Amino acid sequence: MTPKVFYISDGTAITAEVFGHAVLSQFPLKFDSVTIPFVETTARAEAVKKQINDSFITTGQRPLVFHSIVKPDIRDIIYSSEGLDYDFLNTFVAPLEQQLGVQAMPTMHRTHSMLNRGYDNRIDAVNFALENDDGQTLKHLDKADIILVGVSRCGKTPSSLYLSMQFGVKAANYPFIQEDMDNLKLPDSLKRNKQKLFGLTIDPVRLHEIRQNRLENSRYASLRQCRLEVKEVEMLFKKERIPYIDTTHQSVEEIATKILDVAGLDRHMF
């Protein structure tokens, strides 16, 4: 039977999900997961407790419960359920209090609060990524932290948005299209910002599969065209000494983190 997992929080539950997924990814199992954010009252906590207990009654297995709950009275209700509790906040807070010599002052929503100074950075970065997506404008490249370049459908847009949303990085992106291939070169606006360029490439067969889903049996999606474009763009990367990575077998999280690492960019979230 597929193990049941609950991610619970008095906030967005993003922290519980991230930590829980990181732990469970170590096990070669599939999990049936339920995320429950904003458990801010004892009444809602009791309803969640019933949901956990009903799962235990139905399956005969105690569900895993990953939570990050600040208020003790709400946390105690979750503790009293039939779930197997993994409390991320208190696991680390007590030892840190002793080490730092400072009493923690728990506050709900502090992790992802709009009052966090990184919030404005993130919103600005998201707006920038949307305005400078897919080469629709080249006017603001001087303000970019990084400019992703590569063939169409190699992962530039999702990587740009992830960099902005997760790390507050102002990421623009520019596609090299099939009409560029006869005389592929950097436009002047990219040349001027060459130190910000970062290339993405992809296996031509995988690119063919992705493009087929978009424009089936078109020249754009043909394996021959995909091979040509990838070859030409990789040659340009090497000629212009533009750092690049292969996105074929990587998630957007892995792509974005590698971009930050290779490019030496700072996260602007905190």
Side-chain angles (χ1 to χ4, degrees):
M1 185 175 292
T2 304
K4 189 89 168 185
V5 183
F6 288 85
Y7 301 109
I8 304 169
S9 177
D10 47 22
T12 62
I14 292 173
T15 300
E17 284 184 314
V18 169
F19 273 95
H21 287 160
V23 172
L24 295 182
S25 67
Q26 308 303 309
F27 299 91
L29 298 171
K30 290 185 178 180
F31 296 90
D32 180 11
S33 64
V34 176
T35 299
I36 307 176
F38 304 117
V39 183
E40 301 174 291
T41 65
T42 55
R44 181 156 167 79
E46 290 288 357
V48 172
K49 174 183 173 180
K50 183 178 185 304
Q51 194 172 346
I52 294 170
N53 291 347
D54 287 347
S55 174
F56 173 62
I57 293 170
T58 301
T59 66
Q61 291 183 335
R62 296 181 67 188
L64 305 176
V65 180
F66 294 97
H67 58 87
S68 55
I69 298 174
V70 170
K71 293 182 67 175
D73 55 340
I74 295 175
R75 188 168 60 237
D76 288 344
I77 293 172
I78 302 302
Y79 277 149
S80 68
S81 74
E82 294 294 340
L84 294 169
D85 290 287
Y86 299 92
D87 179 354
F88 291 120
L89 288 184
N90 282 305
T91 297
F92 298 106
V93 168
L96 280 171
E97 284 180 330
Q98 184 176 1
Q99 177 66 31
L100 298 174
V102 176
Q103 188 74 23
M105 299 176 64
T107 302
M108 290 194 299
H109 309 305
R110 178 176 289 173
T111 305
H112 303 285
S113 172
M114 288 177 64
L115 299 178
N116 186 313
R117 66 181 181 177
Y119 184 84
D120 289 339
N121 290 335
R122 177 164 44 172
I123 296 303
D124 288 345
V126 170
N127 287 332
F128 184 89
L130 291 172
E131 291 169 2
N132 295 273
D133 178 48
D134 215 22
Q136 58 187 335
T137 179
L138 303 178
K139 296 179 181 178
H140 310 301
L141 296 185
D142 293 343
K143 298 178 181 178
D145 294 318
I146 195 163
I147 304 165
L148 305 184
V149 292
V151 300
S152 172
R153 314 306 290 182
C154 69
K156 298 183 303 302
T157 293
S159 298
S160 296
L161 287 172
Y162 191 89
L163 283 166
S164 65
M165 293 179 68
Q166 191 69 20
F167 302 119
V169 170
K170 290 184 177 179
N173 72 80
Y174 181 90
F176 296 118
I177 59 177
Q178 61 186 31
E179 288 77 12
D180 298 327
M181 295 303 143
D182 288 340
N183 185 27
L184 186 61
K185 59 183 180 180
L186 295 176
D188 290 340
S189 55
L190 293 186
K191 281 185 180 179
R192 188 171 66 248
N193 291 279
K194 188 176 174 182
Q195 75 281 3
K196 298 178 181 179
L197 299 184
F198 196 99
L200 301 183
T201 190
I202 188 171
D203 179 80
V205 174
R206 177 57 183 149
L207 181 62
H208 163 67
E209 293 170 352
I210 294 170
R211 289 184 175 183
Q212 278 284 87
N213 290 330
R214 184 173 176 83
L215 288 172
E216 188 175 6
N217 297 326
S218 62
R219 178 189 172 193
Y220 166 80
S222 71
L223 183 55
R224 179 179 181 181
Q225 183 65 29
C226 291
R227 284 173 171 159
L228 169 66
E229 291 184 25
V230 170
K231 180 181 178 181
E232 291 294 323
V233 169
E234 287 187 358
M235 287 175 61
L236 178 68
F237 291 160
K238 293 171 183 176
K239 175 184 175 183
E240 298 289 348
R241 298 186 178 180
I242 298 170
Y244 69 97
I245 60 173
D246 189 328
T247 66
T248 307
H249 302 294
Q250 300 187 64
S251 66
V252 65
E253 295 89 346
E254 291 171 321
I255 295 167
T257 305
K258 284 191 176 181
I259 290 170
L260 288 179
D261 181 47
V262 176
L265 284 177
D266 293 326
R267 294 160 167 80
H268 302 319
M269 289 297 297
F270 306 107

